[in-house]
Amino acid sequence: MEKLKILISREQIAAKVSELGSRITIDFAGEAVVLIGVLKGATIFLADLARQIHLNVSFDFIAVSSYGDAKHQSGEVKLMKDVDHSMEGKNIILVEDILDTGLTLTYIKNIMAAHQPKSLKIAALLDKVSRRTEPIQADYVGFEIPDEFVVGYGLDFAEKYRNLPDVCVLESDSGTR
Ligand code: IMP
Ligand code: MG
């Protein structure tokens, strides 16, 4: 059996996403930005964030797979889907659900840097700072969270729970991870 406990409510998320959108709107005033969502976890965050950015915004998506089971990653990342358009000279904001070890975003950031964008920033809804193994940080962070496995608002456990409106901690009855 799995139990869910709300960690960040939909109201807290909405307020934070609005704040991040305002910051991005100010930081890129007068410019166009491309939001690049990391499939699939970032889709809900991207959809909400995009509507809080009052600029010329376009979307693109990238997909990676990380080897490992549902809760643990092996550290190997593989590109499954690249962006559809050239990012040369563009203001890119990589949009991700969560920064954990940092392996995924380090890998994606390197791929995107090779496109020679005008600027390259990272927006992460959640940040598990204590889990980081790579020297990477997000420019726009929603919430720093403790080292607990979370689901909802795009985040899954074995593809389940992405549609929960709140970010919840997933606890298994056995208490193991
Ligand atoms: P990283 O490469 O270790 O930074 O891991 C980032 C990826 O791991 C995210 O894009 C998520 O797909 C996944 N992930 C890390 N922590 C969680 C979690 O608590 N819940 C759901 N997915 C997670
Ligand atoms: Mg993900």
Side-chain angles (χ1 to χ4, degrees):
M1 261 297 285
E2 289 151 7
K3 283 190 292 185
L4 296 167
K5 191 183 75 195
I6 294 180
L7 180 67
I8 307 168
S9 71
R10 62 199 77 183
E11 293 83 9
Q12 288 173 291
I13 296 169
K16 185 63 76 173
V17 170
S18 162
E19 185 191 313
L20 295 178
S22 301
R23 277 179 51 202
I24 291 169
T25 302
I26 292 166
D27 291 353
F28 291 91
E31 310 225 6
V33 298
V34 186
L35 302 181
I36 301 183
V38 184
L39 294 171
K40 302 169 217 162
T43 51
I44 293 179
F45 176 40
L46 185 145
D48 284 346
L49 181 64
R51 286 176 284 180
Q52 300 298 331
I53 300 174
H54 307 293
L55 300 170
N56 177 343
V57 171
S58 54
F59 300 167
D60 213 324
F61 292 93
I62 197 167
V64 293
S65 76
S66 23
Y67 300 96
D69 61 25
K71 286 190 178 182
H72 303 96
Q73 294 194 269
S74 69
E76 250 185 289
V77 185
K78 189 173 134 194
L79 184 66
M80 305 301 285
K81 184 211 167 296
D82 203 345
V83 287
D84 296 334
H85 302 99
S86 166
M87 292 298 151
E88 194 179 336
K90 304 273 174 72
N91 293 307
I92 297 180
I93 303 178
L94 287 172
V95 181
E96 177 59 309
D97 51 4
I98 186 166
L99 244 176
D100 187 29
T101 62
L103 282 161
T104 306
L105 273 174
T106 300
Y107 175 81
I108 295 171
K109 198 179 174 185
N110 288 337
I111 291 176
M112 286 305 133
H115 283 251
Q116 298 185 293
K118 179 176 182 187
S119 64
L120 179 52
K121 303 284 183 195
I122 295 174
L125 178 74
L126 305 174
D127 189 356
K128 277 187 197 171
V129 188
S130 66
R131 292 259 307 157
R132 197 81 86 258
T133 60
E134 306 304 303
I136 187 166
Q137 56 189 44
D139 304 280
Y140 304 98
V141 178
F143 304 90
E144 287 188 6
I145 63 166
D147 180 14
E148 292 188 278
F149 197 83
V150 291
V151 295
Y153 198 74
L155 293 117
D156 74 308
F157 173 61
E159 297 300 326
K160 225 169 110 186
Y161 304 121
R162 291 195 198 274
N163 60 325
L164 297 178
D166 311 290
V167 170
C168 301
V169 174
L170 183 66
E171 295 165 334
S172 47
D173 272 354
S174 62
T176 55
R177 273 197 50 174

